[in-house]
Amino acid sequence: MQVVWDNIGLLLIGLRSTLILSAVTVVSGSAVGLLGGVGLLFGPLPVRGLLRAYVDIVRGLPLLVLIFFIFYGLPAIGLDVRGFEAGALALSLFAGAHVSEIVRGGINAVPKGQIDAAKALGLTFWPRLAWVVFPQAAPSMLPPWINVVVEMVKGTSLVVLVSVNDLLFAATKVAERTANPMPLYLAAAALYFVVNFAISRSGAWLERRLSYG
Amino acid sequence: MEDVNLANPAGMPPMVRIEALHKRYGALEVLRGVDLNVQSGEVVCIIGASGSGKTTLLRCVNFLEPYHQGRIWVDGTLVGYRESGGHLMPAPEREVARLRAETAMVFQGFNLFPHMTALRNVAFGPIKVRKTPKQQAMIRAQELLERVGLGTKADSYPAQLSGGQQQRVAIARAMAMDPKVMLFDEVTSALDPELVGEVLAVMKRLADDHGVTMMVVTHEMQFAREAASRVVFMDGGVVVEQGPPEQVLGDPRSARLRAFLSRYIAP
Ligand SMILES: Nc1ncnc2c1ncn2[C@@H]1O[C@H](COP(=O)(O)OP(=O)(O)OP(=O)(O)O)[C@@H](O)[C@H]1O
Ligand SMILES: [Mg+2]
């Protein structure tokens, strides 16, 4: 265990990148997913078609393939991306596709009578969505959304393969240098677990808060 | 078809004017040329067999359903479309929304917002649509809840209320918009029999004391007899007969209406 304490600084720097990458991914992925889910349901036909293709294709790809595709693909068409950017983009697109489907399903499950009632009061599309539809869809969207967040935190570990200095990268580097991998991977695993456990628990708490009546 | 303009001796323009209205769901033509005028302050009860198009007619009036032919005007404004050169173009969303805010609807299934308290349900429309200051809207909502006998239930969520109470909150929610017309679609049919009375009483009071213009689709013949200024009988997507309740319910002319009524009124 001594080797972990000796290198805790490096591990924490790695953890910091992992958390930043996760946060960026979750925020942008959720934004993409919100718009994507709404677009899937209410967009004009061509928009719906494009979004459907995006969601189905990305959900059918292993995350690593998407990361490589962007990391090697974008430079090939003349766009210069570093590992972190490629990783963030790939993870956001991945999260966006999954969240789109969650948002679509959540909105779709709100009874039609609710929309009629909101229309009859004179609410236009966006206020209807914001005040009537979304609050009712949120409780059912929360658990699968938390799943996506946890998957994203775990998914960030794949960006080690496009050499981003994340938690797993730091653990690997120290492990190689000290030739003592077990304690370091155990420490990394513990840190991933702590983060994801905290997310799940907050999710469960939020779920209780959101249930009404 | 003779147009009985009971409530309109002075020849005022109708609050709701429906002309040669046609509506299809796919190949099924549900409304097949409906003509109907409702004067300001009138309570028009619409009766008819299941599937005759009563719900569809009400939904067309506040444009929850688009229509395909004919015209509807509410207080002189064409519903859902703009007319230019004899052609109907869909009206912009804001215009449709503004019109809907003037035509409140009460639904068979209540459709209260489950994530809001009774008070919040009633204040919601004024706050979000009319931009009434929150404080003022809440005070008015409390008054309206008291008027439907639910002053003590302001903080209850819909799930904590009986069907009859929910429907009364829904009526208060509709009243809160100060609508020009209130549309009621079989608002008591989803209720247990012992809860029907309290809802009808609220509607009766609304009709008597407040002079609200109402279009009421109902199977409650007793209510139609007591509260309606006019009863309209629909069948097969058209208005077959209309007139004062005692005439339409007591001395039906068409065989179709007689057949329909015989199922409601014990011989
Ligand atoms: N959204 C819809 N899609 C397809 N058909 C519909 C739709 N809504 C209603 N219909 C059909 O239109 C016809 C008229 O329906 P409507 O609900 O207006 O009748 P109603 O007079 O209100 O009947 P009820 O007394 O049963 O409520 C029925 O045949 C019904 O099946
Ligand atoms: Mg009906």
Side-chain angles (χ1 to χ4, degrees):
Chain A
M1 272 302 125
Q2 190 57 40
V3 63
V4 171
W5 294 124
D6 290 345
N7 294 285
I8 194 72
L10 273 178
L11 287 178
L12 288 181
I13 290 172
L15 177 65
R16 191 167 145 264
S17 315
T18 289
L19 290 179
I20 291 174
L21 188 57
S22 302
V24 167
T25 303
V26 166
V27 169
S28 56
S30 300
V32 169
L34 271 179
L35 293 175
V38 172
L40 275 173
L41 283 171
F42 307 109
L45 207 59
V47 172
R48 260 183 284 168
L50 283 174
L51 284 170
R52 192 77 261 165
Y54 155 63
V55 168
D56 287 350
I57 290 171
V58 169
R59 289 203 312 159
L61 289 180
L63 180 50
L64 187 56
V65 172
L66 192 61
I67 293 172
F68 280 160
F69 190 74
I70 286 174
F71 185 68
Y72 296 111
L74 288 187
I77 59 166
L79 285 168
D80 192 26
V81 283
R82 291 181 301 128
F84 185 88
E85 292 155 1
L89 185 57
L91 286 161
S92 300
L93 285 175
F94 192 79
H98 283 85
V99 176
S100 292
E101 200 50 38
I102 293 169
V103 169
R104 190 198 61 78
I107 290 177
N108 219 16
V110 174
K112 294 285 164 280
Q114 290 292 312
I115 294 162
D116 283 347
K119 281 183 177 172
L121 286 176
L123 265 75
T124 48
F125 180 80
W126 290 108
R128 217 153 60 216
L129 210 56
W131 307 115
V132 174
V133 176
F134 202 76
Q136 293 185 60
S140 70
M141 292 179 339
L142 190 64
W145 182 77
I146 291 291
N147 274 343
V148 169
V149 174
V150 168
E151 284 307 316
M152 286 302 104
V153 174
K154 291 194 276 182
T156 56
S157 65
L158 293 175
V159 298
V160 78
L161 295 167
V162 291
S163 59
V164 176
N165 189 5
D166 74 334
L167 175 56
L168 185 59
F169 188 86
T172 306
K173 232 168 33 180
V174 177
E176 279 167 0
R177 200 181 58 215
T178 59
N180 190 7
M182 260 337 261
L184 286 154
Y185 285 124
L186 271 177
L191 287 173
Y192 278 116
F193 173 78
V194 165
V195 169
N196 278 330
F197 188 71
I199 292 171
S200 307
R201 294 324 300 162
S202 322
W205 175 81
L206 207 61
E207 211 175 315
R208 280 195 305 277
R209 279 284 315 268
L210 275 182
S211 62
Y212 43 74
Chain B
M1 176 59 44
E2 168 199 21
D3 193 2
V4 191
N5 259 348
L6 295 159
N8 192 24
M12 297 226 312
M15 180 57 89
V16 180
R17 183 170 152 216
I18 302 170
E19 255 183 37
L21 186 70
H22 289 254
K23 161 76 188 173
R24 287 183 301 273
Y25 288 114
L28 177 70
E29 189 165 36
V30 176
L31 298 179
R32 303 187 298 149
V34 174
D35 292 288
L36 184 64
N37 286 345
V38 179
Q39 299 299 328
S40 181
E42 235 190 331
V43 176
V44 171
C45 282
I46 301 170
I47 61 173
S50 181
S52 56
K54 308 176 300 290
T55 296
T56 306
L57 179 67
L58 283 196
R59 291 175 62 87
C60 285
V61 170
N62 66 357
F63 211 61
L64 287 179
E65 298 290 345
Y67 49 93
H68 300 98
Q69 222 179 302
R71 306 273 192 281
I72 304 174
W73 292 266
V74 170
D75 201 20
T77 305
L78 183 61
V79 171
Y81 299 95
R82 278 179 176 175
E83 191 163 9
S84 70
H87 289 283
L88 294 189
M89 311 274 285
E93 190 196 12
R94 299 224 140 263
E95 214 169 288
V96 174
R98 209 171 307 131
L99 181 121
R100 286 187 182 134
E102 309 286 348
T103 51
M105 184 147 184
V106 184
F107 302 87
Q108 184 171 353
F110 327 137
N111 299 354
L112 287 180
F113 304 127
H115 56 300
M116 302 179 196
T117 62
L119 188 74
R120 199 53 212 184
N121 263 281
V122 178
F124 177 73
I127 292 171
K128 294 296 178 204
V129 177
R130 297 258 189 260
K131 313 289 179 204
T132 309
K134 204 168 165 181
Q135 204 61 27
Q136 191 184 325
M138 294 292 201
I139 292 170
R140 175 88 203 291
Q142 181 66 38
E143 282 169 17
L144 287 169
L145 282 179
E146 270 152 30
R147 218 188 291 166
V148 298
L150 292 172
T152 58
K153 298 290 185 183
D155 296 327
S156 302
Y157 283 88
Q160 300 165 322
L161 299 172
S162 75
Q165 291 171 331
Q166 289 189 55
Q167 195 58 294
R168 285 186 281 155
V169 174
I171 293 172
R173 175 174 70 176
M175 290 163 71
M177 295 301 286
D178 292 318
K180 290 174 176 165
V181 190
M182 288 182 78
L183 310 170
F184 294 82
D185 186 17
E186 293 193 41
V187 298
T188 56
S189 340
L191 298 176
D192 293 336
E194 70 270 22
L195 301 177
V196 169
E198 64 188 57
V199 172
L200 291 180
V202 164
M203 289 168 65
K204 181 82 170 54
R205 205 148 9 96
L206 198 60
D208 292 346
D209 306 348
H210 300 282
V212 180
T213 310
M214 293 164 61
M215 292 177 74
V216 184
V217 169
T218 186
H219 287 292
E220 299 289 334
M221 295 305 152
Q222 192 58 32
F223 176 81
R225 202 182 304 277
E226 290 168 9
S229 36
R230 183 153 43 112
V231 174
V232 170
F233 171 61
M234 283 183 71
D235 194 46
V238 293
V239 172
V240 174
E241 202 168 329
Q242 58 176 313
E246 55 280 10
Q247 183 212 303
V248 172
L249 300 175
D251 181 22
R253 289 172 190 171
S254 62
R256 286 196 276 179
L257 177 53
R258 275 197 297 274
F260 173 76
L261 288 177
S262 69
R263 272 175 274 149
Y264 283 90
I265 296 164

